[in-house]
Every structure is written in C-alpha cells, then in structure tokens.
Amino acid sequence: MVMRSMSVGMLCALMGMGCGGDDEGQPQSCSVAAQTGCAAPQVCEEVEGAEPACFEPVTLRGRVYDSLDDKAIAGARVLARDPSDAVISRVAITGADGTYELVVPARRDASGAPVEANITLRADAQTYETFPKAPRVALPIDLSTAAGKPPAIESAATEISLLPLSDSEGLGSISGVVHADQPGGTLLVAGGATGAADLDGSYTIYNVAAGDVTVKGYAADLALDTASATVSAGKETTSVDLHATGDATAVVSGKVEIVNAPGGSATSVILVVADTFDEATARGETPRGLRQGNITGDFSIAGVPDGDYVVLAAFEDDALVRDPDTSIGGTEIVRITVSGQDLPVAESFKVTGALAVVSPGASTMEEVSGTPTFVFEDDSSEDLYEVRLFDALGAKIWEDLEVPRVSGSENVSVEYDGPALIPGMIYQFRTTSKKDGTPISQTEDLKGVFVYR
C-alpha cells in the first residue's frame, strides 16, 4: 500500500479546521517560519508526514511566585526552551497576580494532536534568582499532554517559584535588542547576570550591579559586537543594542575519557560562559547550540563565538560525573578562550561513575520535612565520605567531612545536624567519596535536590 502525505486542504477538511483560504474557498498553505496563512488565533504548525497546517495553539498556563511567602511576582519574564536551551517561544510577562499564558509551538500528528516533545521554562524577575539555576532544575513539560479545546497545559511544571536574592541593594536592569537574522535564544551576559533574547531579539537582563558594564551576546554560529551600559540601582538602562558582525565559525574539539563507570557509557559536553560559572556548584549558563550529546570519546562543537568558556562533561543525569581525583591527569576544570580560530582542547578530561542518590532527590525534587536523612550508594573502595548541603543560591549550609565507611550495607545514611532549614527553600546535598585523602567519586550534579516544608 502506498501512503501519501496529506495536503493542507485534506488535513483541514478532516479536522474541521478553519485554515485560511483564497477567494474560491481553497485552503492556503501556511508558513511556520513566518507564521502566515492562518487566521488568528490559529497558528501554523508542522505536521508529521504532511505539509504544515493551521491549528489552535498550545498554551502553557501557570504562575510565578515567591518561594518563601507564596506571593505573586508581577512583571516576570517567562519563556520556553527546547532540550538544547534554544528559545522557542515569545516571552510572556506575568500579571499582577503572577499568572501567565505562553503560546508554544507544537508539532502535530495526523489527527492534529501535539506529539511527544519535552520543553522547559526559564523565568527572570528583578530582585529574584533566575530560574533554573544550580542546584534547581527545570522540570520537563511534555507537549503531548496538552488537553482541551484549545489545547493547554497547566501543571506543577508550569508553576515557577523564584528565590529572592539575599542582597538586592545596588542592582538595576538592562534592556535592548539583538539585531540578527535569528536572535531568539541568544544568551546575554552583563557582569555575570544573564538574560535571554525573545524571538524578535528584545531582551532584559535583571539584577545587574550598578556601574559601568559590558554586555555580550552568545549563540552558536552568531558573532555579535559588544555594548557598554551604565547601570543605576533600581533603574532600567534601555536601548542597549547588539548587532551581528557575521558568523561564528570556530570549532572547539577534544576528547572525553570515561573510566571506572559500569553504569554509564555516554555523556555530553557543554561550553559554559566563564562569567556565569559558579565554582561551588560547577555549573553555569550554556549558550544556545554549544552542546554535543552522546559522546563516548571525541567531541567537536562548531560555531563557537569569541569568548571565555568552561568546558564541562557529564552534565545531565547519565550516571557519570567529572572525575574528582585530582591526583591524576585530566581531572582539572578546563577553561578556554576562543578568538576566531579553531581550538583543540590540549588535554583530554575524565569522567567516572557517579555515586547514586537514594533519597531525597533520586529522580525528582522531593518535599522533605523534619530532620532530613541523606541516603546514597556505598562506594566499596572508599575510606570515608564528605557530605555537604547547599541552598539554591549556592551557599554551603552544612558539612560533615568524616562520614565513616559502611560494612555490610549497600547504602550510606547521614542525618542532618546543621542549622534550621528554611521552609520553602530549595536545597541539594552532595557527597564525595575519598580514599587516602583523595576524592574518587561523587553524586551527580542534578540529583539530591529537595524542597523543605
């Protein structure tokens, strides 16, 4: 049997859709890129095995609120990103009650239903920590779960709690436009603070320290000029525009060695903008497109703009971590400077098997009350463990650096005995195993996260 792709007209007729038509009532084709050919409020979407067609849009509905007192946050910027952190939606601004509605593109099947595809959300607001930021992670949202007419998603993953900054005195904001062919998702950095460009290039960077700063933009294949801004506390510095100067063509290449890792066989490598890198959590902001996944050895990331970067591997939950054994080669944090030329990373770097987290935060961000107990997999070759607790702002809250090894048990349990935890605050525990005073493994970057109630 021969299968043929349905035309826009056939698809519209089958679904009873109001696709745009010409004077004779014939359906028109629509353009996903230009979003033309559909009568509002419909949007042009890709269709599996067929031409693009007009559909009622998928809308995410949620609320942005203060994680400590549950109060609504008005004026927050919310946008959707694909798994590579590329922005795929326009920016939604929260109302006085903290609510937002965000239209997101969704590929459809032959029946018009959204197909399975995971996206995440980013949210920014003045005097609040950007979400997500280590150790907090954004929960994936599966677009195929959209329900109703028009289709919508409203769930725990669309509810965003922001952490107030511990000190917001002396902070202002910067806004402007990235002038380029495809500016959406460009990462903007000013004094360590970041923002993401809307699909039309407009951006806002919140929580920039007052004074003179340089604004830089990063995205794969895109070279931009820089801009200067003078920021005043409590005020917005406007019209700070960046302009494309050509294509970024540099290639960063190197090699990852996976050692002593029976539970993991492949990892990913990302380039983190050095100005955003946090030493305590070994995390930072990755520009759109500067990532390569499924790496078992050699890696190559193309289209890298000029700038200073930190090269990180084993970033996702892949049962692997950067090898913490600094007594051997290839275990230091790799820092590079790209300046227009291809850059081979001189030394390979190692990743190793991770210590599995049992609870809390083995697979999701759990709620914890009372006195937490941290449980993780025993490392059979260790002498002792170091256990540390961090809050969502990256501050170390507590540590026990002499947790004894266990015998006859698959897991190690450590009861927290530090200062009182704050209800509503996000925390992460991290464990390192050591032998002869040298770290040999640790828990994964994205595990061990919980919210205290």
PDB file of all heavy atoms in Angstrom, residues 13 69 87 163 168 184 214 219 221 246 249 265 275 322 398 451:
ATOM      1  N   ALA A  13      -9.814  19.671   6.138  1.00  0.00           N
ATOM      2  CA  ALA A  13     -11.148  19.102   5.991  1.00  0.00           C
ATOM      3  C   ALA A  13     -11.395  17.989   7.002  1.00  0.00           C
ATOM      4  O   ALA A  13     -12.464  17.890   7.597  1.00  0.00           O
ATOM      5  CB  ALA A  13     -11.320  18.573   4.571  1.00  0.00           C
ATOM      6  N   ASP A  69       7.245  33.111  50.549  1.00  0.00           N
ATOM      7  CA  ASP A  69       5.962  33.544  51.121  1.00  0.00           C
ATOM      8  C   ASP A  69       4.773  33.338  50.186  1.00  0.00           C
ATOM      9  O   ASP A  69       3.650  33.724  50.509  1.00  0.00           O
ATOM     10  CB  ASP A  69       6.022  35.016  51.553  1.00  0.00           C
ATOM     11  CG  ASP A  69       6.349  35.962  50.396  1.00  0.00           C
ATOM     12  OD1 ASP A  69       6.221  35.552  49.223  1.00  0.00           O
ATOM     13  OD2 ASP A  69       6.734  37.110  50.666  1.00  0.00           O
ATOM     14  N   VAL A  87      15.588  29.108  22.685  1.00  0.00           N
ATOM     15  CA  VAL A  87      14.269  29.687  22.962  1.00  0.00           C
ATOM     16  C   VAL A  87      13.333  29.386  21.801  1.00  0.00           C
ATOM     17  O   VAL A  87      13.674  29.594  20.639  1.00  0.00           O
ATOM     18  CB  VAL A  87      14.386  31.203  23.187  1.00  0.00           C
ATOM     19  CG1 VAL A  87      13.009  31.845  23.297  1.00  0.00           C
ATOM     20  CG2 VAL A  87      15.206  31.487  24.437  1.00  0.00           C
ATOM     21  N   LEU A 163      13.394  32.395  43.969  1.00  0.00           N
ATOM     22  CA  LEU A 163      14.038  32.667  45.248  1.00  0.00           C
ATOM     23  C   LEU A 163      14.480  34.129  45.303  1.00  0.00           C
ATOM     24  O   LEU A 163      15.196  34.601  44.400  1.00  0.00           O
ATOM     25  CB  LEU A 163      15.261  31.770  45.416  1.00  0.00           C
ATOM     26  CG  LEU A 163      14.972  30.305  45.698  1.00  0.00           C
ATOM     27  CD1 LEU A 163      16.201  29.473  45.374  1.00  0.00           C
ATOM     28  CD2 LEU A 163      14.574  30.121  47.146  1.00  0.00           C
ATOM     29  N   SER A 168      19.727  42.535  47.328  1.00  0.00           N
ATOM     30  CA  SER A 168      19.360  43.128  46.042  1.00  0.00           C
ATOM     31  C   SER A 168      19.645  44.620  45.987  1.00  0.00           C
ATOM     32  O   SER A 168      19.281  45.292  45.023  1.00  0.00           O
ATOM     33  CB  SER A 168      17.874  42.873  45.754  1.00  0.00           C
ATOM     34  OG  SER A 168      17.057  43.412  46.775  1.00  0.00           O
ATOM     35  N   GLY A 184      16.530  34.886  18.482  1.00  0.00           N
ATOM     36  CA  GLY A 184      15.829  34.221  19.575  1.00  0.00           C
ATOM     37  C   GLY A 184      16.719  33.248  20.329  1.00  0.00           C
ATOM     38  O   GLY A 184      17.371  32.402  19.729  1.00  0.00           O
ATOM     39  N   THR A 214      29.904  45.781  30.501  1.00  0.00           N
ATOM     40  CA  THR A 214      29.902  45.421  29.088  1.00  0.00           C
ATOM     41  C   THR A 214      28.881  44.320  28.868  1.00  0.00           C
ATOM     42  O   THR A 214      28.838  43.348  29.629  1.00  0.00           O
ATOM     43  CB  THR A 214      31.286  44.924  28.652  1.00  0.00           C
ATOM     44  OG1 THR A 214      32.243  45.976  28.832  1.00  0.00           O
ATOM     45  CG2 THR A 214      31.288  44.514  27.186  1.00  0.00           C
ATOM     46  N   ALA A 219      25.545  32.850  21.041  1.00  0.00           N
ATOM     47  CA  ALA A 219      24.708  31.817  20.435  1.00  0.00           C
ATOM     48  C   ALA A 219      25.540  31.131  19.366  1.00  0.00           C
ATOM     49  O   ALA A 219      26.404  31.769  18.733  1.00  0.00           O
ATOM     50  CB  ALA A 219      23.435  32.395  19.819  1.00  0.00           C
ATOM     51  N   ASP A 221      26.990  29.865  16.036  1.00  0.00           N
ATOM     52  CA  ASP A 221      27.020  30.371  14.657  1.00  0.00           C
ATOM     53  C   ASP A 221      26.825  31.875  14.551  1.00  0.00           C
ATOM     54  O   ASP A 221      26.784  32.404  13.439  1.00  0.00           O
ATOM     55  CB  ASP A 221      25.970  29.673  13.782  1.00  0.00           C
ATOM     56  CG  ASP A 221      26.105  28.165  13.795  1.00  0.00           C
ATOM     57  OD1 ASP A 221      27.248  27.692  13.688  1.00  0.00           O
ATOM     58  OD2 ASP A 221      25.074  27.475  13.921  1.00  0.00           O
ATOM     59  N   GLY A 246      28.653  38.927  11.716  1.00  0.00           N
ATOM     60  CA  GLY A 246      28.983  37.821  10.828  1.00  0.00           C
ATOM     61  C   GLY A 246      28.669  36.490  11.489  1.00  0.00           C
ATOM     62  O   GLY A 246      27.892  36.421  12.444  1.00  0.00           O
ATOM     63  N   THR A 249      32.538  30.871  13.540  1.00  0.00           N
ATOM     64  CA  THR A 249      32.951  29.671  12.809  1.00  0.00           C
ATOM     65  C   THR A 249      33.950  28.801  13.568  1.00  0.00           C
ATOM     66  O   THR A 249      34.331  27.745  13.073  1.00  0.00           O
ATOM     67  CB  THR A 249      33.579  30.061  11.460  1.00  0.00           C
ATOM     68  OG1 THR A 249      34.717  30.901  11.697  1.00  0.00           O
ATOM     69  CG2 THR A 249      32.573  30.806  10.583  1.00  0.00           C
ATOM     70  N   SER A 265      27.757   4.988  29.874  1.00  0.00           N
ATOM     71  CA  SER A 265      28.594   4.731  28.712  1.00  0.00           C
ATOM     72  C   SER A 265      28.750   5.926  27.786  1.00  0.00           C
ATOM     73  O   SER A 265      29.612   5.935  26.916  1.00  0.00           O
ATOM     74  CB  SER A 265      28.020   3.568  27.903  1.00  0.00           C
ATOM     75  OG  SER A 265      26.694   3.856  27.477  1.00  0.00           O
ATOM     76  N   ASP A 275      31.940  33.917  32.644  1.00  0.00           N
ATOM     77  CA  ASP A 275      31.407  34.934  33.563  1.00  0.00           C
ATOM     78  C   ASP A 275      30.220  34.431  34.370  1.00  0.00           C
ATOM     79  O   ASP A 275      29.850  35.045  35.371  1.00  0.00           O
ATOM     80  CB  ASP A 275      30.982  36.186  32.788  1.00  0.00           C
ATOM     81  CG  ASP A 275      32.173  37.023  32.355  1.00  0.00           C
ATOM     82  OD1 ASP A 275      33.286  36.796  32.872  1.00  0.00           O
ATOM     83  OD2 ASP A 275      31.998  37.911  31.497  1.00  0.00           O
ATOM     84  N   ARG A 322      32.196  14.319  36.452  1.00  0.00           N
ATOM     85  CA  ARG A 322      33.590  14.659  36.214  1.00  0.00           C
ATOM     86  C   ARG A 322      34.433  13.967  37.279  1.00  0.00           C
ATOM     87  O   ARG A 322      34.110  14.010  38.463  1.00  0.00           O
ATOM     88  CB  ARG A 322      33.783  16.175  36.285  1.00  0.00           C
ATOM     89  CG  ARG A 322      35.212  16.638  36.035  1.00  0.00           C
ATOM     90  CD  ARG A 322      35.314  18.159  36.125  1.00  0.00           C
ATOM     91  NE  ARG A 322      34.984  18.639  37.448  1.00  0.00           N
ATOM     92  CZ  ARG A 322      35.872  18.733  38.455  1.00  0.00           C
ATOM     93  NH1 ARG A 322      37.117  18.342  38.273  1.00  0.00           N
ATOM     94  NH2 ARG A 322      35.493  19.204  39.623  1.00  0.00           N
ATOM     95  N   TRP A 398      25.916  23.405  55.470  1.00  0.00           N
ATOM     96  CA  TRP A 398      26.387  22.431  56.460  1.00  0.00           C
ATOM     97  C   TRP A 398      27.281  21.424  55.767  1.00  0.00           C
ATOM     98  O   TRP A 398      27.163  21.200  54.563  1.00  0.00           O
ATOM     99  CB  TRP A 398      25.169  21.736  57.070  1.00  0.00           C
ATOM    100  CG  TRP A 398      25.461  20.530  57.918  1.00  0.00           C
ATOM    101  CD1 TRP A 398      25.821  20.508  59.239  1.00  0.00           C
ATOM    102  CD2 TRP A 398      25.396  19.158  57.504  1.00  0.00           C
ATOM    103  NE1 TRP A 398      25.987  19.216  59.666  1.00  0.00           N
ATOM    104  CE2 TRP A 398      25.721  18.360  58.629  1.00  0.00           C
ATOM    105  CE3 TRP A 398      25.086  18.524  56.302  1.00  0.00           C
ATOM    106  CZ2 TRP A 398      25.767  16.966  58.576  1.00  0.00           C
ATOM    107  CZ3 TRP A 398      25.128  17.146  56.237  1.00  0.00           C
ATOM    108  CH2 TRP A 398      25.455  16.382  57.377  1.00  0.00           C
ATOM    109  N   VAL A 451      12.926  20.266  48.370  1.00  0.00           N
ATOM    110  CA  VAL A 451      12.364  21.492  48.936  1.00  0.00           C
ATOM    111  C   VAL A 451      11.940  21.191  50.357  1.00  0.00           C
ATOM    112  O   VAL A 451      11.347  20.153  50.649  1.00  0.00           O
ATOM    113  CB  VAL A 451      11.163  21.997  48.095  1.00  0.00           C
ATOM    114  CG1 VAL A 451      10.062  20.958  47.981  1.00  0.00           C
ATOM    115  CG2 VAL A 451      10.620  23.303  48.659  1.00  0.00           C
TER     116      VAL A 451
END
